[in-house]
C-alpha cells in the first residue's frame, strides 16, 4: 500500500515548526495545514518579517532587541535615574518582568548564564558591559532576576563578587507562587519558602 | 514610565504566530524570541517554504495537497481497486486516518461540511466530484469519516441520500475512545456508546 506523500513544502514547514519548543510533530502538521488556509498576503507578511529578523538591532546599553540604538527604557531618563538595574538572562525574562508593570528601573540582558560544561564563561556574557554601566550610572541597587538552577545560582554568586559597597546586590525572592498550594508545590520550593520567611 | 517597545518585525511575527489556533499572545512571543535565535539559513528555509504554499497543488481526484496532479494514494491502483472511498472534511482528518495505517481504500476531501448559517451549501463542497468518482470507479462502499456535530450530522444525511444500491454508505462508529473511562467521558459519548453496542 502506498502511503500519502505530501508536497515537500508542507513537510519542510512542518519540520521548521517542530523546532519550536513545545511543538511536537502532530501540532506542527496541524499548524502547517492552518498556514495553507491563511490568505497569501498574510503569509507574505509573515515570511517578510522572518527575513527582517536577520537585521534585528539590540539596544547598545541593555542589549534588549530594539528599533533604535537605544531602547525605550534606556532612553527614559526617569528610569535611568532610578539607579536600579535588573539583570536578566534573556529578553523573555525581561518581558515577563515588564508585564507585571511594577518595576521602574532599567535592565541588563546577560545573554545567558555561566555554564562551564557548555564553555560559557564570563567573557561570553554581557558582564563587562554590566560593570561599566553600574559604574557610569552610579547604580545603587543591582537586582539579579536570574532563574534558580545550578548555573543560575553560580552566576549570581559570581556577579555578587563583582560589586562593592555602596552598590547593593540582591536576588529576587523565591517561595510559594501566588495561587500556589503547599500540597502541590515541590519540596525545593517549600524549603526555599521556609528559608525566606519574613515578618509581617 | 516608558514601557518597552520592541522592534516592529518582532511584533509582526508575534501577531502572525498568534493566529494559529491554540497559540496565545504569550506563547506567540515566546516562539518569536526563539525564532530570533534560529540560524538565519533555517529562518530563510522557513520563509521560502511559506511563499511556496501559494503554489500548492491539490490531487485532481481526491483534493488532498499533492506534489503531482495525482496524489500517491490515487495513483496506487491497489487502493483504487479496493472500491472503498473514505469521505473526510479536510486534509488533517485524512492524515489522522492514514496515521492509523489500517485503511486501504482511497479518500475524498470535501473541503468542509454543509453550514447554511455560513452560506456553505453543497455547491461549495466537493460533492459533485464525489458523485462522479463513486460512479466512475464503481465504488461499493462510501465511508463517511465526518466529525460529529450538528453540521457534520446534516452533511452525512445529505450525502447518504445521494447514493443508491448497490453502493453502501456508512458512517464511522462513535463510542467510548480506547483508554477512555466511563467515569470521565461526556454524557453524549456514553449515550452514543450505548446506542452503538454490538455482539461480541
Amino acid at each position: 500500500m502506498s502511503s500519502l506523500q505530501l508536497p515537500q513544502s508542507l513537510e519542510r514547514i512542518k519540520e521548521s515548526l517542530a523546532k519550536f519548543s513545545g511543538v511536537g510533530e502532530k501540532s506542527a502538521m496541524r499548524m502547517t495545514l492552518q498556514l495553507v488556509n491563511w490568505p497569501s498576503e498574510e503569509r507574505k507578511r509573515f515570511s517578510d518579517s522572518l527575513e527582517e529578523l536577520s537585521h534585528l538591532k539590540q539596544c547598545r546599553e541593555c542589549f534588549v532587541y530594539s528599533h533604535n540604538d537605544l531602547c525605550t527604557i534606556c532612553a527614559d531618563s526617569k528610569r535611568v535615574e532610578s539607579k536600579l538595574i535588573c539583570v536578566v538572562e534573556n529578553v523573555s525574562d525581561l518581558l515577563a518582568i515588564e508585564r507585571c508593570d511594577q518595576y521602574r528601573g532599567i535592565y541588563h540582558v546577560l545573554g545567558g548564564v555561566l555554564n562551564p560544561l557548555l564553555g560559557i564563561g564570563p567573557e561570553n556574557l554581557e558582564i563587562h558591559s554590566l560593570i561599566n554601566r553600574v559604574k557610569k550610572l552610579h547604580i545603587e541597587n543591582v537586582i539579579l532576576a536570574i532563574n534558580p538552577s545550578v548555573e543560575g545560582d553560580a552566576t549570581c554568586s559570581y556577579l555578587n563578587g563583582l560589586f562593592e559597597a555602596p552598590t547593593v546586590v540582591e536576588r529576587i525572592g523565591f517561595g510559594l507562587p501566588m495561587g500556589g498550594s503547599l500540597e502541590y508545590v515541590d519540596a525545593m520550593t517549600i524549603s526555599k519558602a521556609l528559608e525566606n520567611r519574613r515578618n509581617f
Side-chain angles (χ1 to χ4, degrees), chain A:
Chain A
M1 180 177 88
S2 321
S3 59
L4 184 67
Q5 223 177 324
L6 286 172
Q8 286 182 320
S9 55
L10 290 182
E11 293 290 347
R12 274 198 296 270
I13 287 188
K14 191 191 81 175
E15 277 165 30
S16 289
L17 289 168
K19 287 189 209 297
F20 286 114
S21 72
V23 176
E25 291 273 308
K26 260 167 115 176
S27 307
M29 184 43 89
R30 208 176 307 126
M31 291 165 83
T32 303
L33 295 172
Q34 286 179 38
L35 271 173
V36 177
N37 292 322
W38 282 17
S40 61
E41 318 83 68
E42 239 166 59
R43 248 183 346 247
K44 178 94 177 76
R45 201 157 45 229
F46 186 31
S47 67
D48 287 350
S49 312
L50 280 172
E51 308 249 354
E52 280 174 40
L53 285 190
S54 304
H55 315 287
L56 205 61
K57 273 203 281 194
Q58 288 181 303
C59 171
R60 64 160 194 258
E61 287 288 316
C62 74
F63 304 102
V64 73
Y65 306 120
S66 168
H67 188 62
N68 297 315
D69 270 6
L70 215 54
C71 74
T72 46
I73 294 177
C74 288
D76 178 352
S77 58
K78 271 198 191 138
R79 294 192 71 153
V80 176
E81 285 159 14
S82 69
K83 304 207 181 299
L84 273 174
I85 198 163
C86 178
V87 181
V88 291
E89 288 175 46
N90 53 45
V91 177
S92 313
D93 292 350
L94 185 157
L95 291 175
I97 297 174
E98 274 298 283
R99 263 199 298 272
C100 83
D101 205 18
Q102 192 202 321
Y103 176 69
R104 303 283 186 249
I106 54 173
Y107 292 93
H108 192 82
V109 181
L110 274 190
V113 283
L114 297 175
N115 193 328
L117 287 177
L118 298 178
I120 301 173
E123 66 285 0
N124 304 112
L125 303 176
E126 289 297 345
I127 289 179
H128 192 70
S129 51
L130 173 64
I131 299 172
N132 286 342
R133 287 181 79 200
V134 168
K135 218 179 280 175
K136 184 180 73 181
L137 301 171
H138 308 289
I139 296 292
E140 291 167 358
N141 206 330
V142 178
I143 302 169
L144 305 177
I146 308 257
N147 292 313
S149 68
V150 176
E151 292 78 17
D153 297 353
T155 308
C156 286
S157 299
Y158 179 83
L159 292 174
N160 185 37
L162 297 177
F163 303 102
E164 287 172 357
T167 306
V168 177
V169 182
E170 290 168 315
R171 192 164 180 194
I172 52 162
F174 298 117
L176 201 64
M178 292 304 97
S181 149
L182 285 168
E183 193 178 348
Y184 295 112
V185 112
D186 62 297
M188 279 288 278
T189 301
I190 295 181
S191 71
K192 273 289 171 196
L194 287 171
E195 206 178 290
N196 295 340
R197 64 190 186 274
R198 300 178 50 165
N199 282 340
F200 64 94

